[in-house]
Amino acid sequence: ETNGGELLHDVVICGAGPAGLLLASALSQKSSVKKIAIVDPTLESKWPNNYGVWMDEAEHFGYDDCCDYVWKEAGVVFDEDTPE
């Protein structure tokens, strides 16, 4: 969008999740990027944690009470052709 021929934003980021906010932060360090807009229809909603940690790491830092669910077994795949 323009305002009398001048761009209103240098960059528009769609999504204010962790990746969008990290991108905005990184772009703000560039001298060529002056105006950044973040567009997200759910901007006011809480971002749910959807990642995992190893329990020994969580316990080491005292975060074990923050874990909602603990899987007793886990599998890691590094390559689709590698058998389990």
Side-chain angles (χ1 to χ4, degrees):
E1 193 172 323
T2 63
N3 180 17
E6 180 182 337
L7 289 177
L8 296 178
H9 301 95
D10 296 317
V11 176
V12 176
I13 299 171
C14 298
L21 295 176
L22 181 64
L23 179 59
S25 177
L27 287 172
S28 72
Q29 304 302 312
K30 301 277 187 185
S31 62
S32 60
V33 179
K34 305 285 187 215
K35 300 178 223 170
I36 301 170
I38 299 177
V39 179
D40 193 321
T42 59
L43 191 58
E44 298 297 321
S45 65
K46 182 179 176 186
W47 186 262
N49 293 332
N50 57 0
Y51 53 86
V53 297
W54 299 112
M55 272 311 290
D56 58 341
E57 293 175 350
E59 291 168 346
H60 175 78
F61 291 106
Y63 296 136
D64 50 317
D65 62 333
C66 298
C67 299
D68 289 335
Y69 187 83
V70 177
W71 284 267
K72 299 297 179 191
E73 295 181 16
V76 179
V77 177
F78 292 103
D79 185 288
E80 291 179 5
D81 297 328
T82 304
E84 293 184 31

